Amino acid sequence: MQTSHSGQFHIRKVAVCGAGVMGAQIAAHCVNAGVPVVLFDLPAKQGDPNGIVHKAIAMLRKASPAPLGAPALAELIEPANYQDDLHRLAECDLVIEAIAERMDWKHDLYKKLAPAIKPGAIVASNTSGLSITQLGQALPESLRSRFCGVHFFNPPRYMPLVELIPTADTQPALLDQLETFLTSRLGKGVVRAKDTPNFIGNRIGVFGILSVFAQAQKFGLSYEQVDELTGTRLGRAKSGTFRTADVVGLDTLAHVIRTMQDQLPNDPFHEVFAMPPVLEALIEKGALGQKTGAGFYRKEGKAILRLDPEKGEYVPADAKVDDEVAALLAERDPAKRLRGLRESRHPQAQFVWAVLRDTFHYSAFHLADIADTARQVDQAMIWGFGHSQGPFELWQSAGWREVAQFIADDIESGKAIASAPLPDWVFNGPVDQAQGVHTAKGSWNPAAQAFEPRSALPVYQRQVGAPRLVGEASSLGEDVVFEDDAVKCWTLPAPHPTDVLIVSFKSKMHTLSPEVMKGVEHAVDLAEGSFSALVVGQLADPFSAGADLKSMLPLFASGGPKAVEPVERAMQEMVLRLRYAQVPVVAALAGMALGGGCELALHCARRVAHFETYMGLVESGLGLVPGAGGLTWSARRAAELQAEGAPDAPLLAYLKRFAFPIAQATVSTSALNAREIGFLLPSDPIVMNRNELLYVAVREAHVLAEAGWRAPMPLPFPVAGRDGIATLKGQLVNMRVGGYISEHDFHVASTIAHVMCGGDLDPGERVDEGWMLAREREAFLGLLAHPKTQERIMGFVKTGKPVRN
């Protein structure tokens, strides 16, 4: 780790010790972020000494969900083993140990690694619950001040949470440096935890799972009913509880439970930590969940079966959530929702209340033991378990005093899962007066008996518009310039550049309705009149799911394709307005940027993309062609690439780069993959932390303006013409004959080829945008009149899924 002249520390290379699932995936995410990695494991007993690591790297290419942003990144992970390559630790500024959860094995490895670790390097364990202090005892005293826990949640690419756990010896400055690296470079949500068994996320989360086991048995609910009740209806992961356990691995869950059993003997809730017999029985049979093909659920063909613990066999998973309970869970007022669940006599409602009450109770009782503030607990559950709200936030949003009294009454009456009383701070003092643990001043710290503000680390000043918990002060402080029902035009306050206008959409999924398109053009007018640059970006994902099809259907129903033509033309005019604006326009991309949303982004001067950006011109899936300049942009970009690369090479070679992904409705699997496809240019920055996106985009736009940016000239460009069309159609014929595409797919793809090649022209003939955009409109409207396309559109509107015909 090196220090720059500005005082910043740079982690230039990472060593990951342990090439198991977690170690390999941590290494994968480091190379996602452009950080070189050396991945260590034991030497193989036969053949290549690095055979174990090579096998782990090969598995990264195949794993789903994909740990790597692009498969080729696997080549950047350097294999090593503890016998031959320990000297390579001297290259690494951060050493992460990620071997099996055995204290003795970890101690043995630390003794082996310690002599080779470079001076000044940070050493960290990825343990999910072992004592960091005890682990550090195996290190020489010279390393203990640079040792801490750094617990990634699985899978590391997709789960934001990383718990950072210091010991009494850990240097505070080192923690700040590591938190900055994890937050900005790796894109993580960092929570500092106390060195207690299972830390914060697994301590609260696994207790919640055990409560679900106990309460489901008490109220007689099946596994699929529980998963329906504890999934999206409760603001949690769609997979609920038991499906999630299958995905994580039942052996992994059991390990965390045993840690709580063994290391928390004096916990008043210890009886809850008993291993559920059904879990023990499944593990004994080798049914460990998804990785073994069976756990609480088993898939047979397309059918999903769930375990019937009474019969000991798998039965159809077909039990439902009662309509009364579904209505209670759909109640938008949190106070009414919790009150209704508690007062209902229905066992499903009683189950949901009991599970929430147990988690509220446990979180409050142990807050002072496991974390500094209530914020850390809530963020751990949001980032690590996919909850929309953490336990304290949910409690506070439903009315702190009333819910606290509900919990206390259940404890007194013996309904609660344990008799331990709520802490005194729940009812008395600042928390009760403030109506909860989260306030504009900060979040409650029970040890300090005060509300503690968020971290003042400079990295968090980059998180413009980052989500705040209920009760906390907004992070935005924006100045609104213009707002209507479709868009909001606003600027960031100083010290951010105030000369950059931002336009955000208000439509569902940020689709491009006629009103949003007018709003975007108005934003360009405002930016050209009073600002130096414009950013198109949203505070929440997605960037844009594309054109608002539902708004087009009434037009089509009343007047056919001709009635849609003005909307189609307006979309083309909007993207040209962005391309030729007299100020630089930057698209801040995150989540989906599909169809018209992708076309909008392509026409901006620059794009700043979050790593998890999924771009695609997907109209062919609906039987259409991209009609908002996407084909025109692709044809022009192919001509530019030819001019930049090898002018003598066939234009078609460059055109194919875009033609086949568009014809196949390909969506990028990451921002890196979008760059490979060509939707992002090499000059388009990629940021790892979603909360830094607007910060970077605004500064990118400001720098472009300061550098004297000028709109491109609308010059004509060469097209592939009829020869290109013939070649592309020949390849499409082979795909149709081979059964890879349907007859209508062939028709749509042929239409795409015709437009992208400029129509029936000589190869190399030069055309302008107007010519190309007219071809797009003709193709779009022609396909819109096709019965097969209409089938696809209506099916998509009804189900949200593409229809293949």
Side-chain angles (χ1 to χ4, degrees):
M1 187 167 60
Q2 300 186 17
T3 309
S4 69
H5 295 299
S6 62
Q8 291 183 322
F9 284 80
H10 297 290
I11 293 175
R12 301 181 185 277
K13 182 176 276 193
V14 172
V16 177
C17 300
V21 172
M22 279 302 291
Q25 294 206 21
I26 291 169
H29 195 58
C30 286
V31 295
N32 283 339
V35 180
V37 176
V38 184
L39 180 59
F40 284 83
D41 211 299
L42 295 167
K45 293 179 181 178
Q46 294 180 336
D48 182 353
N50 292 329
I52 293 173
V53 178
H54 280 301
K55 184 177 180 181
I57 294 172
M59 290 299 294
L60 290 174
R61 296 176 182 268
K62 303 173 185 176
S64 179
L68 294 161
L73 290 173
E75 299 170 12
L76 302 180
I77 302 173
E78 303 171 35
N81 68 81
Y82 304 128
Q83 179 176 289
D84 305 316
D85 302 310
L86 284 180
H87 63 279
R88 302 202 59 191
L89 290 174
E91 307 167 17
C92 301
D93 305 303
L94 171 62
V95 178
I96 300 174
E97 168 270 305
I99 67 170
E101 293 289 274
R102 284 273 301 267
M103 183 74 73
D104 54 342
W105 290 359
K106 291 177 186 285
H107 277 179
D108 288 345
L109 180 61
Y110 293 178
K111 290 170 185 175
K112 186 181 294 185
L113 301 179
I117 293 171
K118 71 187 274 189
I122 299 171
V123 185
S125 173
N126 183 58
T127 178
S128 61
L130 297 180
S131 167
I132 303 301
T133 300
Q134 289 182 40
L135 285 171
Q137 296 306 307
L139 291 167
E141 287 191 20
S142 59
L143 279 177
R144 290 180 194 172
S145 66
R146 292 182 274 119
F147 177 71
C148 63
V150 56
H151 179 213
F152 288 81
F153 270 58
N154 190 28
R157 171 181 167 184
Y158 301 97
M159 297 304 294
L161 180 61
V162 172
E163 293 175 312
L164 192 57
I165 311 102
T167 71
D169 297 323
T170 310
Q171 297 174 17
L174 174 144
L175 288 172
D176 291 347
Q177 294 152 12
L178 187 52
E179 182 168 351
T180 298
F181 171 78
L182 293 167
T183 301
S184 193
R185 193 69 188 272
L186 297 191
K188 296 294 149 192
V190 175
V191 166
R192 295 202 188 187
K194 294 185 178 180
D195 188 11
T196 55
N198 290 341
F199 314 127
I200 298 174
N202 281 340
R203 180 77 173 268
I204 301 297
V206 173
F207 171 83
I209 291 170
L210 290 169
S211 167
V212 167
F213 274 98
Q215 300 297 354
Q217 185 173 18
K218 177 180 177 180
F219 292 105
L221 305 187
S222 66
Y223 298 138
E224 71 268 30
Q225 284 176 320
V226 168
D227 285 345
E228 277 292 309
L229 291 167
T230 60
T232 53
R233 295 176 193 269
L234 207 59
R236 299 182 178 181
K238 183 180 180 180
S239 51
T241 302
F242 293 106
R243 283 190 182 88
T244 299
D246 275 356
V247 171
V248 170
L250 303 191
D251 51 342
T252 302
L253 174 61
H255 168 77
V256 181
I257 293 171
R258 290 192 190 98
T259 301
M260 296 175 78
Q261 287 176 333
D262 297 344
Q263 298 189 30
L264 297 167
N266 299 319
D267 191 314
F269 295 78
H270 191 266
E271 287 186 13
V272 185
F273 304 160
M275 187 72 67
V278 64
L279 179 60
E280 212 154 32
L282 285 168
I283 293 171
E284 284 177 8
K285 293 177 182 177
L288 305 181
Q290 186 171 283
K291 59 189 172 186
T292 60
F296 291 107
Y297 294 89
R298 190 177 74 198
K299 190 172 183 181
E300 290 187 3
K302 293 185 178 180
I304 302 293
L305 306 180
R306 57 96 173 163
L307 179 69
D308 183 328
E310 299 296 325
K311 298 178 180 178
E313 58 187 49
Y314 289 89
V315 300
D318 55 9
K320 304 296 182 185
V321 171
D322 185 84
D323 290 343
E324 172 196 332
V325 181
L328 285 171
L329 288 169
E331 169 61 55
R332 298 177 68 87
D333 184 323
K336 290 181 181 178
R337 183 166 63 248
L338 257 64
R339 194 182 306 119
L341 290 166
R342 185 172 187 266
E343 293 173 355
S344 172
R345 293 181 177 274
H346 197 288
Q348 293 180 4
Q350 292 173 352
F351 161 80
V352 175
W353 161 250
V355 167
L356 292 174
R357 176 205 61 214
D358 293 348
T359 301
F360 295 160
H361 185 186
Y362 192 76
S363 300
F365 188 87
H366 284 297
L367 173 58
D369 305 331
I370 63 176
D372 290 327
T373 70
R375 182 193 305 107
Q376 292 164 334
V377 172
D378 280 346
Q379 295 287 27
M381 298 310 295
I382 292 167
W383 288 334
F385 282 79
H387 293 189
S388 60
Q389 290 185 305
F392 290 118
E393 187 181 19
L394 182 57
W395 177 352
Q396 180 168 332
S397 67
W400 183 267
R401 292 179 184 178
E402 183 176 47
V403 175
Q405 194 58 56
F406 288 164
I407 301 168
D409 290 345
D410 280 9
I411 294 170
E412 187 175 350
S413 65
K415 293 180 181 178
I417 205 164
S419 60
L422 288 169
D424 183 65
W425 58 260
V426 169
F427 292 103
N428 300 305
V431 169
D432 188 49
Q433 294 166 19
Q435 299 291 304
V437 292
H438 304 306
T439 71
K441 294 180 180 178
S443 290
W444 181 247
N445 182 326
Q449 290 288 295
F451 293 102
E452 184 176 301
R454 283 180 170 250
S455 171
L457 279 178
V459 68
Y460 293 114
Q461 305 310 306
R462 298 168 58 88
Q463 297 196 356
V464 176
R468 289 292 187 258
L469 303 176
V470 167
E472 287 192 303
S474 168
S475 65
L476 206 52
E478 77 274 28
D479 296 318
V480 177
V481 177
F482 169 80
E483 187 169 13
D484 63 12
D485 292 339
V487 302
K488 180 170 77 170
C489 298
W490 52 287
T491 63
L492 296 175
H496 304 289
T498 58
D499 61 334
V500 178
L501 185 68
I502 304 167
V503 59
S504 303
F505 309 162
K506 293 184 175 182
S507 52
K508 185 177 180 181
M509 300 292 286
H510 301 136
T511 53
L512 296 168
S513 66
E515 293 75 23
V516 168
M517 290 189 286
K518 290 176 185 175
V520 170
E521 293 205 52
H522 183 57
V524 176
D525 291 339
L526 289 172
E528 288 179 337
S530 305
F531 298 89
S532 65
L534 175 66
V535 166
V536 184
Q538 327 295 351
L539 286 172
D541 295 353
F543 174 74
S544 175
D548 183 0
L549 285 176
K550 287 185 178 180
S551 71
M552 291 187 188
L553 290 179
L555 290 172
F556 180 79
S558 63
K562 286 186 179 179
V564 178
E565 197 272 345
V567 178
E568 169 69 5
R569 188 182 292 272
M571 289 191 71
Q572 292 183 340
E573 290 171 351
M574 177 194 67
V575 298
L576 291 182
R577 189 80 177 86
L578 293 170
R579 176 172 170 81
Y580 296 113
Q582 296 308 297
V583 294
V585 182
V586 173
L589 305 174
M592 293 183 293
L594 303 180
C598 181
E599 290 170 296
L600 184 157
L602 292 176
H603 284 81
C604 292
R606 189 141 309 167
R607 289 136 298 277
V608 176
H610 177 228
F611 186 81
E612 300 299 343
T613 295
Y614 313 113
M615 299 182 74
L617 296 175
V618 296
E619 288 85 351
S620 66
L622 297 178
L624 295 167
V625 301
L631 299 183
T632 300
W633 181 91
S634 300
R636 181 177 52 237
R637 182 63 186 147
E640 291 170 351
L641 288 170
Q642 182 193 40
E644 294 166 5
D648 295 332
L651 176 58
L652 191 62
Y654 297 95
L655 196 65
K656 284 181 181 179
R657 175 177 180 179
F658 301 102
F660 284 99
I662 294 171
Q664 294 168 350
T666 301
V667 177
S668 72
T669 57
S670 68
L672 288 177
N673 183 227
R675 185 179 279 169
E676 289 178 335
I677 295 170
F679 293 146
L680 292 180
L681 305 189
S683 57
D684 293 332
I686 296 173
V687 300
M688 296 302 293
N689 195 304
R690 170 64 178 87
N691 292 329
E692 295 183 4
L693 184 62
L694 274 179
Y695 174 94
V696 176
V698 166
R699 275 159 178 73
E700 188 77 14
H702 178 73
V703 168
L704 285 174
E706 288 289 296
W709 180 90
R710 293 291 181 269
M713 299 290 285
L715 300 172
F717 52 89
V719 291
R722 63 180 69 90
D723 287 3
I725 296 171
T727 303
L728 291 174
K729 286 187 71 172
Q731 294 177 339
L732 292 170
V733 167
N734 292 335
M735 295 174 71
R736 182 185 59 186
V737 171
Y740 296 105
I741 59 175
S742 70
E743 190 65 40
H744 193 52
D745 290 331
F746 174 78
H747 177 56
V748 173
S750 297
T751 306
I752 289 171
H754 189 274
V755 175
M756 290 186 73
C757 292
D760 189 17
L761 300 175
D762 293 331
E765 190 168 340
R766 303 177 77 83
V767 300
D768 60 20
E769 279 174 342
W771 171 269
M772 293 296 294
L773 292 171
R775 304 289 79 72
E776 275 191 23
R777 286 197 304 276
E778 291 169 5
F780 183 92
L781 297 171
L783 285 168
L784 191 57
H786 198 292
K788 291 285 189 181
T789 290
Q790 292 169 23
E791 282 179 20
R792 292 191 181 189
I793 293 172
M794 295 308 297
F796 179 77
V797 170
K798 287 179 182 178
T799 67
K801 297 178 181 178
V803 174
R804 307 312 303 167
N805 57 7

